Amino acid sequence: MPNVLLLGGTTEASALARLFAERGVAATLSYAGRTEKPRAQPIPMRIGGFGGVNGLARYLRDERVTHLVDATHPFAATMSANAVAAARAADVPLLALTRPAWLPAAGDRWTHVPDIAGAVAALGGRPRRILLALGRLHVAAFAAAPQHHYVLRFVDAAVAPPALPDHHLIVDRGPFTVEGDRALMVGHGIDLVVCKNAGGTGAAAKLAAARALGVPVVMIERPALPPRAEVTDPHAVLAWLDHAPSPAKRGV
Ligand SMILES: NC(=O)c1ccc[n+]([C@@H]2O[C@H](COP(=O)([O-])OP(=O)(O)OC[C@H]3O[C@@H](n4cnc5c(N)ncnc54)[C@H](OP(=O)(O)O)[C@@H]3O)[C@@H](O)[C@H]2O)c1
């Protein structure tokens, strides 16, 4: 019988957790512990880091995990790289459940940048009104461009106020709609959106709203990850569980 460790923190991981519960697949969902109140889940949860590659490899062995599924966010590059290395060290098969990157459509005005520093550099000197759709961990870098007005949207109220001299903070975990994001951008006079190329539908409303309003977007592209098997459909994970050689099937 599979005993799955599911690395989560995304809509996709929650969808897969529901599927595991429906199908009676034994699985534990792991959260980093970044948000105050993670969503309630229909399978057992654990919260907090493992302690790097060695800590995760130890967890896989100690908990007799047979399959590791990485459904973390495409920008959770450290966790995903650790998962590849720990799966190899513990000899546990790994599959990533991810989502295709967003591609520009007709009418989009995107500037592609490789990382947060590239996004800060792309803002230019003229003061602008910017929707910074990034999450609180990355906001501090924008203190290097204090001439802009920033509108921030966080899942939780910030523990400490964001280190930006001119900002407006909205606390909302979505789901977001195109109409809602359009109204937000008009209401705040937004003339630039900065976001990460997360992919998926959950956070795409702001892009459609920006397109409709002719607002340009600074798009931070995804970090590079080590090679690994990937699927985009939660049902493909179930098929993989049926066929991946678990330690038990190998007689370990
Ligand atoms: N980065 C984003 O834009 C973003 C957006 C939405 C949601 N998230 C979610 O937020 C979480 C943290 O993202 P991040 O970008 O800070 O990750 P990260 O930089 O890749 O990971 C940093 C450390 O956090 C711990 N960690 C990360 N994800 C974990 C998980 N699911 N379970 C247990 N420990 C985890 C690991 O600690 P140890 O080394 O101690 O094991 C990891 O080395 C992830 O679960 C991700 O799916 C991230």
Side-chain angles (χ1 to χ4, degrees), residues 108-237:
D108 277 329
R109 300 168 59 200
W110 293 6
T111 301
H112 299 271
V113 295
D115 50 25
I116 299 282
V120 176
L123 302 182
R126 177 173 62 84
R128 307 183 76 163
R129 298 182 64 83
I130 300 173
L131 175 61
L132 203 52
L134 287 183
R136 64 190 160 91
L137 294 179
H138 301 297
V139 160
F142 290 82
Q147 70 274 31
H148 307 295
H149 174 76
Y150 295 99
V151 173
L152 312 167
R153 186 159 62 185
F154 292 171
V155 172
D156 293 319
V159 182
L164 300 173
D166 183 7
H167 73 266
H168 176 83
L169 175 61
I170 299 163
V171 178
D172 190 348
R173 67 162 70 200
F176 305 112
T177 63
V178 179
E179 297 71 34
D181 278 2
R182 194 176 162 148
L184 183 147
M185 288 184 203
V186 171
H188 288 273
I190 296 297
D191 57 20
L192 185 68
V193 174
V194 177
C195 69
K196 299 194 256 192
N197 197 334
T201 52
K206 58 182 174 283
L207 299 177
R211 186 182 309 134
L213 296 169
V215 170
V217 173
V218 172
M219 182 63 76
I220 303 167
E221 293 306 338
R222 296 176 172 199
L225 293 174
R228 58 193 184 157
E230 289 185 9
V231 295
T232 54
D233 178 356
H235 289 91
V237 179

Side-chain angles (χ1 to χ4, degrees), residues 7-10 30-32 34 46 48-52 72-73 75-80 82 137-138 196:
L7 304 174
T10 57
S30 176
Y31 277 122
R34 297 279 194 278
R46 65 163 301 287
F50 297 93
T72 56
H73 191 274
F75 281 76
T78 304
M79 185 71 255
S80 288
N82 288 358
L137 294 179
H138 301 297
K196 299 194 256 192

Side-chain angles (χ1 to χ4, degrees), residues 52-54 56-57 60-61 68 81-92:
V53 174
N54 291 341
L56 178 55
L60 295 174
R61 290 193 198 98
L68 178 59
N82 288 358
V84 170
R88 191 176 302 133
D91 197 18
V92 169

Side-chain angles (χ1 to χ4, degrees), residues 232-249:
T232 54
D233 178 356
H235 289 91
V237 179
L238 295 179
W240 174 77
L241 287 181
D242 286 341
H243 296 108
S246 69
K249 280 187 196 163

